Amino acid sequence: MARRSDHTREELTELALSSAEELLNIKPASELSTRQIATKMGYTVGTLYQIFKNLPDLLLHVNARTLKRLYNDCLKLDIKQHSAEQNILAYANLYLEFAHSHQGLWTLIFDNKVLGDEELPDWYLMQVKALFSLIEQQLRQIKPRSSEQEITQISRVLWSSVHGICTLSINNNLFVQSACSSQELIASLIRNILKGWTNG
Amino acid sequence: MARRSDHTREELTELALSSAEELLNIKPASELSTRQIATKMGYTVGTLYQIFKNLPDLLLHVNARTLKRLYNDCLKLDIKQHSAEQNILAYANLYLEFAHSHQGLWTLIFDNKVLGDEELPDWYLMQVKALFSLIEQQLRQIKPRSSEQEITQISRVLWSSVHGICTLSINNNLFVQSACSSQELIASLIRNILKGWTNG
DNA sequence: ACCTGAACACCGTTCAAGT
DNA sequence: ACCTGAACACCGTTCAAGT
């Protein structure tokens, strides 16, 4: 045993993260374990603790990759062809679509297990900020005169709401028997918030 | 050992639930275990499995009690004195306040560990429905001519949004450095959604 | 009938020991 | 320096054995 050097530290990191991601496609985060990830990598648990501080730390890095992917998906949208409101709707639909097609990864972003008791590191918060700035950019086009504080506030309101609908539509426990699709809900939401905002 | 009969089955259920609730005041759901609950009750784990199917089942009953408490708190609000919009805002603030002062209990309601792979039982969904009907009642006063489907849709949009803001304000990871309080966000949200809705 | 204690198959994390 | 395997202190769940 010892010093296999089959992989560099970077390769090992990549291997760990992609192994975790693959497992999350099959099972929920609550059933994910360090031993399973290590086995999928072809290593033992101990190796994982050379790369990451602990399991929450590993999962935080999985989340960082998910945010990056989400951001890149957003950049691929053809923004210039449409109105700001249409673009915001497009972002929201992309978000909803992503949440549904990558349930495991998406749910993990908001899993309390990841955060633990520690604060989120700066490099992670920067990624969150980058995503918000996409929405803020569109909001500024709608109402160019509004203050930065107002833009921040509305972007948070909008996004929290979209997020809330995604959450509840995924573990579809809270819509009871209602027939309304989450797409319709989001469309209605954005229309109403923006209408209320611009008429204010 | 055996047949202590110190407690009836009902007392045992009550004991289990309140023990779990007390533990949730101290630590997050991820650190809650059957063994801890049993110890706090003064029994062994086995006893827990005579009362509940498993841990998710126990937690589901904790959630049911939380919903009941939330519902009772809502009923205590002095609704008749104010406008429908003011009442909705009051419900939302109550919800936000509850989320903050009972973080452990509130977070558990949306914990994926509870649901597992099974559907939520009808008696539980009824409780969720009861809470929604409070909001729907107010919405009907705002726009008495709207269809039931419209009421349902708007209530879901409203509540998902409020919920989203609560979620993100609790694990305050996603507001980055923004200075806006969640109370302001919710007020802004409700105002805008309702304005958008009534002007449509 | 009710409760226990031990067992089973798992966890996350650490660390001496090997190369 | 890197990796392993065993160890520690925990899990959820089951069930024979006791009264």
Side-chain angles (χ1 to χ4, degrees):
Chain A
M1 51 213 80
R3 172 111 59 163
R4 297 181 2 191
S5 286
D6 295 345
H7 302 93
T8 66
R9 194 178 209 90
E10 278 172 13
E11 286 172 330
L12 233 43
T13 308
E14 165 62 31
L15 196 56
L17 295 179
S18 57
S19 299
E21 284 166 354
E22 279 179 50
L23 286 168
L24 283 169
N25 286 332
I26 308 172
K27 57 183 81 183
S30 57
E31 292 172 24
L32 190 66
S33 75
T34 51
R35 283 178 165 86
Q36 285 173 38
I37 298 170
T39 303
K40 189 151 200 110
M41 291 171 67
Y43 283 78
T44 53
V45 245
T47 303
L48 235 35
Y49 286 83
Q50 285 178 242
I51 318 175
F52 301 102
K53 207 184 120 210
N54 48 28
L55 181 58
D57 183 40
L58 189 159
L59 297 179
L60 183 71
H61 283 81
V62 171
N63 283 344
R65 299 228 297 192
T66 307
L67 291 182
K68 211 170 281 172
R69 205 195 288 193
L70 205 46
Y71 185 74
N72 286 333
D73 286 358
C74 282
L75 291 187
K76 278 184 205 139
L77 285 181
D78 191 10
I79 282 306
K80 313 219 165 146
Q81 304 267 6
H82 306 93
S83 74
E85 178 162 349
Q86 282 173 323
N87 289 335
I88 288 175
L89 188 60
Y91 285 141
N93 280 327
L94 189 154
Y95 189 74
L96 180 66
E97 224 286 296
F98 189 94
H100 273 95
S101 55
H102 304 91
Q103 281 198 34
L105 292 178
W106 189 78
T107 308
L108 189 67
I109 300 185
F110 309 97
D111 198 310
N112 293 312
K113 199 166 70 177
V114 179
L115 193 120
D117 304 321
E118 313 208 28
E119 294 291 316
L120 289 171
D122 274 346
W123 58 264
Y124 185 87
L125 291 176
M126 294 283 279
Q127 294 196 31
V128 177
K129 216 172 160 183
L131 278 162
F132 266 119
S133 72
L134 291 175
I135 299 161
E136 291 168 5
Q137 222 171 303
Q138 299 301 316
L139 288 173
R140 264 184 228 107
Q141 288 188 23
I142 294 180
K143 219 176 169 184
R145 307 236 162 167
S146 51
S147 68
E148 273 312 296
Q149 206 202 325
E150 199 182 339
I151 293 287
T152 305
Q153 180 164 322
I154 291 290
S155 74
R156 265 61 180 173
V157 167
L158 251 185
W159 196 79
S160 300
S161 312
V162 170
H163 174 70
I165 293 178
C166 290
T167 305
L168 299 181
S169 92
I170 281 219
N171 18 321
N172 65 349
N173 49 357
L174 284 161
F175 285 102
V176 196
Q177 81 300 31
S178 77
C180 31
S181 81
S182 31
Q183 271 208 29
E184 282 179 281
L185 290 178
I186 284 182
S188 152
L189 171 84
I190 291 180
R191 204 183 327 116
N192 284 331
I193 288 188
L194 293 182
K195 208 190 290 175
W197 186 46
T198 48
N199 288 353
Chain B
M1 50 213 82
R3 173 114 59 166
R4 298 179 4 188
S5 288
D6 294 346
H7 301 95
T8 66
R9 194 177 211 91
E10 278 173 12
E11 285 171 331
L12 234 41
T13 308
E14 166 62 31
L15 197 55
L17 295 180
S18 57
S19 298
E21 285 166 353
E22 278 178 51
L23 287 169
L24 282 169
N25 286 332
I26 308 172
K27 55 183 80 183
S30 57
E31 291 172 25
L32 190 66
S33 75
T34 52
R35 282 177 166 87
Q36 285 174 37
I37 298 170
T39 302
K40 189 152 200 107
M41 292 171 65
Y43 284 79
T44 52
V45 246
T47 302
L48 235 34
Y49 287 84
Q50 284 176 242
I51 317 174
F52 301 102
K53 207 183 119 210
N54 47 28
L55 182 58
D57 183 40
L58 189 160
L59 297 178
L60 183 70
H61 283 82
V62 172
N63 283 344
R65 298 227 298 192
T66 307
L67 291 182
K68 210 170 282 172
R69 205 195 287 192
L70 205 46
Y71 185 75
N72 286 333
D73 286 357
C74 283
L75 292 187
K76 277 182 205 140
L77 286 181
D78 191 10
I79 283 305
K80 311 218 166 145
Q81 304 267 5
H82 306 94
S83 73
E85 178 161 348
Q86 282 173 323
N87 289 336
I88 288 174
L89 188 60
Y91 285 140
N93 279 326
L94 190 154
Y95 189 73
L96 180 66
E97 225 285 296
F98 189 95
H100 273 95
S101 55
H102 304 91
Q103 281 198 33
L105 291 179
W106 189 78
T107 308
L108 189 66
I109 301 184
F110 308 98
D111 198 310
N112 294 311
K113 200 165 70 176
V114 179
L115 193 121
D117 305 319
E118 313 207 28
E119 294 291 316
L120 288 171
D122 273 347
W123 59 264
Y124 186 86
L125 291 176
M126 293 282 280
Q127 293 197 33
V128 177
K129 216 172 158 182
L131 278 162
F132 266 120
S133 72
L134 292 175
I135 299 161
E136 292 167 5
Q137 223 171 302
Q138 300 300 317
L139 288 173
R140 262 184 229 107
Q141 288 188 22
I142 293 179
K143 218 176 168 185
R145 307 236 161 165
S146 52
S147 69
E148 272 312 295
Q149 206 201 325
E150 199 181 340
I151 294 287
T152 305
Q153 180 163 322
I154 291 289
S155 75
R156 264 61 179 173
V157 167
L158 251 185
W159 197 81
S160 300
S161 312
V162 170
H163 174 70
I165 293 177
C166 291
T167 305
L168 298 181
S169 92
I170 282 219
N171 22 319
N172 66 347
N173 48 357
L174 284 160
F175 286 102
V176 196
Q177 82 301 30
S178 79
C180 31
S181 82
S182 32
Q183 271 207 30
E184 284 178 279
L185 290 178
I186 284 183
S188 152
L189 171 85
I190 290 180
R191 205 182 326 114
N192 284 331
I193 288 188
L194 293 183
K195 207 190 291 176
W197 185 46
T198 47
N199 288 352

